[in-house]
Amino acid sequence: MPGQFLKGPIPLDWLSAAARLPGKAPLAVALAIRFESGRRGDAESVKVTNPLVARLGVSRKSKYAALSALEGAGLIRVSRQPKKSAVVTILSNQQSHP
């Protein structure tokens, strides 16, 4: 959609850690999380919906795996509830993994 953009700044260490995770889904989901955060006024916690990640070519199943990978890397914390979109908190004080 015209007029939509990814708002920065996004810490390069955070983005690099997401980019180093296997597959394309973790980086795409990380970008979706940052996009939604910027859209919500730099909110630290955002809902990660299936339509949001689908815009970046990520399936529902891949979204779940990507959220787990990002959480395992210390980039986010995920709150999951049955039948509801995951709520993600961005962790800015993550330890970079080489």
Side-chain angles (χ1 to χ4, degrees):
M1 297 188 126
Q4 294 188 323
F5 56 90
L6 185 62
K7 183 178 177 191
I10 299 171
L12 188 56
D13 286 348
W14 191 94
L15 196 57
S16 296
R20 285 192 300 270
L21 294 171
K24 78 164 197 144
L27 179 57
V29 172
L31 291 171
I33 290 166
R34 289 293 186 160
F35 169 77
E36 190 65 11
S37 172
R39 198 170 79 86
R40 303 250 176 229
D42 291 326
E44 288 186 24
S45 294
V46 295
K47 282 186 183 180
V48 181
T49 65
N50 294 333
L52 174 64
V53 298
R55 292 176 67 185
L56 296 173
V58 177
S59 70
R60 178 179 60 87
K61 184 177 176 182
S62 293
K63 175 187 87 169
Y64 295 132
L67 288 174
S68 292
L70 292 166
E71 189 171 35
L75 299 172
I76 61 171
R77 184 173 50 247
V78 183
S79 174
R80 298 170 178 89
Q81 292 184 359
K83 307 280 185 187
K84 295 196 177 206
S85 295
V87 175
V88 171
T89 301
I90 299 168
L91 302 177
S92 56
N93 294 331
Q94 61 92 26
Q95 297 294 321
S96 293
H97 302 300

